[in-house]
Amino acid sequence: MAKESLSEKLTKTLATLVTEQLCPNDKLPSERALSEQYHMSRNTVRAALNQLFLQGLIYRSPGKGTFVAEPLDDRADVAAAFSFTQQMGAMKRNPESKVVGLKQVPASPMVADHLRLNHGAAVYVLDRIRMADHRPMMAERSYLPAAVLPNLSKALLKDTPLYDLLEHHYGIHIATVDETFFADLMSAEYAQLLDVPPNSACLKIRRTAFTSAGNIIEYTMSAARADQFVYHVQHANH
């Protein structure tokens, strides 16, 4: 049996500290402090912290430090999320949506094809940050057909979730959604908005929402923080 390395020993020690002694979002000591505390080099400490990060036990916030991540069972399950607002409410967390931008533009060929519109048709581009308990969780860019959403504005979206607005203001009921998930790295733009390091792990989500009539009302691309979301699926063999 191969001898356990110093970084492996420290990884186990720090994993015990994180999972049994500290609470989610507690700040860890700095690399220098851990190096002095455990009498190991900073390279060894850095290697151990990298392992904890890859295991999803910690997360890093630029300029602030390293923190204990939420346990996997307490993270939002993106596979179960028909509505972010409803899901956060069910988890007893306070959901918020910050509208970063809203503009009307001609649809690019890619967006038009996704929304089943003519190329160049008017669409709204809605950029939002989704938060829970005042913490940024997800960055979203949604494309919406302007023809069926007259006078859509930031004011309308300020205090009303998008799906509630569609239902109660425009009389549009979303019947089904189709989603695709894939792992990716956080872009510099989204990393700044979500307060995570650039190129950190994230979960990308592509969502298409269909009305009761079968029309596409929304095409959204999202980047979710990897330390705040999991993807859970249950299979049955019949």
Side-chain angles (χ1 to χ4, degrees):
M1 182 180 293
K3 185 178 179 180
E4 194 172 46
S5 68
L6 290 177
S7 66
E8 290 172 335
K9 290 180 180 178
L10 184 58
T11 298
K12 290 182 179 179
T13 299
L14 294 179
T16 300
L17 172 70
V18 165
T19 58
E20 298 181 9
Q21 300 178 36
L22 299 178
C23 298
N25 305 309
D26 280 352
K27 186 176 181 179
L28 271 68
S30 66
E31 287 185 5
R32 176 179 293 180
L34 289 172
S35 176
E36 294 174 354
Q37 180 179 349
Y38 293 103
H39 306 289
M40 294 187 183
S41 70
R42 292 185 65 174
N43 285 339
T44 299
V45 170
R46 189 174 299 117
L49 291 174
N50 284 338
Q51 285 301 310
L52 295 184
F53 177 77
L54 292 173
Q55 293 171 25
L57 296 178
I58 62 173
Y59 67 93
R60 295 163 172 141
S61 182
K64 297 180 180 179
T66 303
F67 300 83
V68 179
E70 296 278 354
L72 285 176
D73 289 344
D74 293 339
R75 300 185 196 180
D77 178 11
V78 292
F82 183 83
S83 162
F84 178 86
T85 301
Q86 292 175 357
Q87 185 189 31
M88 291 299 107
M91 296 175 66
K92 309 300 182 185
R93 303 182 71 172
N94 180 35
E96 301 174 73
S97 291
K98 179 181 178 182
V99 177
V100 179
L102 177 66
K103 60 184 178 181
Q104 187 175 136
V105 300
S108 68
M110 183 272 290
V111 171
D113 289 344
H114 274 287
L115 291 174
R116 297 177 184 168
L117 299 174
N118 293 326
H119 292 186
V123 296
Y124 288 108
V125 182
L126 172 62
D127 290 313
R128 291 177 294 172
I129 301 299
R130 314 305 293 273
M131 297 180 286
D133 300 329
H134 307 294
R135 179 183 304 162
M137 302 272 286
M138 181 188 301
E140 291 188 339
R141 172 163 290 175
S142 300
Y143 298 92
L144 309 159
V148 296
L149 302 173
N151 303 315
L152 181 64
S153 66
K154 288 184 179 180
L156 287 174
L157 290 162
K158 182 179 179 182
D159 299 313
T160 306
L162 175 61
Y163 284 9
D164 288 352
L165 186 69
L166 294 177
E167 180 89 31
H168 302 298
H169 186 79
Y170 291 103
I172 298 173
H173 175 69
I174 293 181
T176 60
V177 297
D178 181 77
E179 289 187 328
T180 301
F181 307 90
F182 58 97
D184 202 356
L185 299 178
M186 195 74 73
S187 68
E189 176 189 5
Y190 281 167
Q192 183 176 11
L193 292 171
L194 297 178
D195 195 23
V196 296
N199 295 319
S200 58
C202 71
L203 188 64
K204 289 288 183 70
I205 308 162
R206 291 178 180 169
R207 165 178 283 222
T208 304
F210 297 83
T211 68
S212 301
N215 299 316
I216 297 176
I217 189 63
E218 173 205 19
Y219 172 59
T220 293
M221 294 179 287
S222 307
R225 288 175 50 159
D227 63 319
Q228 295 295 321
F229 288 88
V230 295
Y231 175 65
H232 174 78
V233 175
Q234 185 177 56
H235 299 284
N237 185 19
H238 297 296

